[in-house]
Amino acid sequence: MALARTGTGPRATARAFLSQVHPVFMTPPVAAALFGAVLAGRIEATLAAIHAVAIFAAVYTAHVKDGYVDFHVRGEDDEHPLTERGCRLGLALSTTVFAACCVLLWALVDPIAVALTLPTWLIAYHHAPQLDTNPLTATTGYPLGIALAILGGFYVQAGAITAVALGFAVVFLVLLSGVKVIDDAQDYDYDRSIEKRTVAVAIGPDRAYVLAYGLMLTALLAVLAFAVARVFPPTTALAALAFGAVALVARRAEPTVATMLLVRGSYVFLAVLVTAVWFEPLAGVGFP
């Protein structure tokens, strides 16, 4: 049986599987895993690579499963490059890679490293059709995965979880939950028509926007507070200011453009944080 819905042969099959690699949404989780390693102050490249591959495999699982459910089960999407058999094979391969990484993390680090990594796959696999129909889990699934990637990346290097790592994880969870509310608002009319309860459907678009920007503001204020308290390096305040500027522009845009701006703003936010931590390393539990 064919694995690709369009075309035949190895090239068509390879293109179909590669189509499930979405850089816009896959880069942040992998970058978050590496950011966690940078936070630890020392990087064992092999461990960082294993953890990053595990996170990549988890996100790939999410994309394949979402596509399978939305096209082959729900009939919501108009097109999908993989057949049902192709989707199942893609899920099997990504899960195998993820499992192999977990085995290596167990052997090279400890079971806690696996305990911090495994939930990312569970969130990815169950996002559709279980988690994406509830306003809370539909909103926080992706941000929670990134928060766990930071914690896992840190623990793999440091063998512990400190207040600094937890603080950064919470900041990203709150900030990206706000971005996700705006992202989901793009599909308000369609989601409402199929009774898919995103935050925008549950409380209305206007209240959803207020909630979304409230969450983002809370995260940015937390960064500033941690910087002033010298829990985070002082220059991390620049990340809050940079994202805040993007959010002000996005606030006046319609949901599609706002999402594009906020997603790219989150890249800038992460890049400034990485730079700040890289040049002002943290010492275990806080900035000295």
Side-chain angles (χ1 to χ4, degrees):
M1 293 178 65
L3 300 176
R5 294 188 61 252
T6 57
T8 58
R11 288 187 179 181
T13 300
R15 283 196 301 269
F17 282 113
L18 287 174
S19 71
Q20 300 307 291
V21 177
H22 301 292
V24 171
F25 294 103
M26 297 180 89
T27 300
V30 175
L34 298 176
F35 175 59
V38 171
L39 275 178
R42 58 181 178 82
I43 301 178
E44 173 58 51
T46 299
L47 296 178
I50 292 170
H51 182 254
V53 170
I55 297 302
F56 176 87
V59 183
Y60 188 89
T61 297
H63 285 305
V64 175
K65 181 73 181 298
D66 283 357
Y68 170 76
V69 171
D70 289 345
F71 181 78
H72 293 289
V73 178
R74 292 171 172 166
E76 294 179 6
D77 290 346
D78 296 327
E79 184 57 63
H80 189 67
L82 292 170
T83 63
E84 289 191 48
R85 182 168 178 262
C87 289
R88 294 192 183 98
L89 180 59
L91 290 172
L93 291 174
S94 63
T95 300
T96 299
V97 171
F98 182 87
C101 291
C102 285
V103 170
L104 289 172
L105 290 175
W106 186 301
L108 298 175
V109 188
D110 60 29
I112 297 177
V114 177
L116 290 169
T117 306
L118 181 59
T120 63
W121 183 89
L122 294 174
I123 293 170
Y125 185 81
H126 294 289
H127 179 72
Q130 290 88 0
L131 302 180
D132 68 347
T133 57
N134 178 279
L136 179 61
T137 53
T139 299
T140 60
Y142 182 78
L144 181 57
I146 287 184
L148 288 167
I150 293 173
L151 291 177
F154 184 90
Y155 185 88
V156 163
Q157 301 294 328
I161 295 296
T162 68
V164 170
L166 190 59
F168 275 112
V170 171
V171 163
F172 272 94
L173 173 61
V174 176
L175 181 82
L176 295 180
S177 291
V179 175
K180 188 63 167 63
V181 171
I182 299 296
D183 182 28
D184 288 341
Q186 297 180 79
D187 302 318
Y188 169 74
D189 291 330
Y190 180 73
D191 289 341
R192 187 181 180 187
S193 71
I194 62 172
E195 299 182 351
K196 184 175 181 179
R197 289 180 56 78
T198 62
V199 170
V201 172
I203 65 175
D206 291 340
R207 289 181 179 178
Y209 295 149
V210 172
L211 174 62
Y213 285 99
L215 288 171
M216 288 183 271
L217 178 61
T218 299
L220 298 181
L221 290 176
V223 172
L224 294 175
F226 283 136
V228 170
R230 297 182 70 81
V231 176
F232 292 176
T235 49
T236 56
L238 296 175
L241 296 176
F243 187 89
V246 174
L248 285 175
V249 176
R251 186 71 179 86
R252 300 176 179 275
E254 50 89 20
T256 301
V257 175
T259 299
M260 179 189 70
L261 291 172
L262 292 170
V263 168
R264 283 153 181 79
S266 68
Y267 293 167
V268 175
F269 181 73
L270 178 57
V272 176
L273 290 180
V274 170
T275 303
V277 173
W278 185 267
F279 287 103
E280 298 181 82
L282 296 157
V285 295
F287 185 70

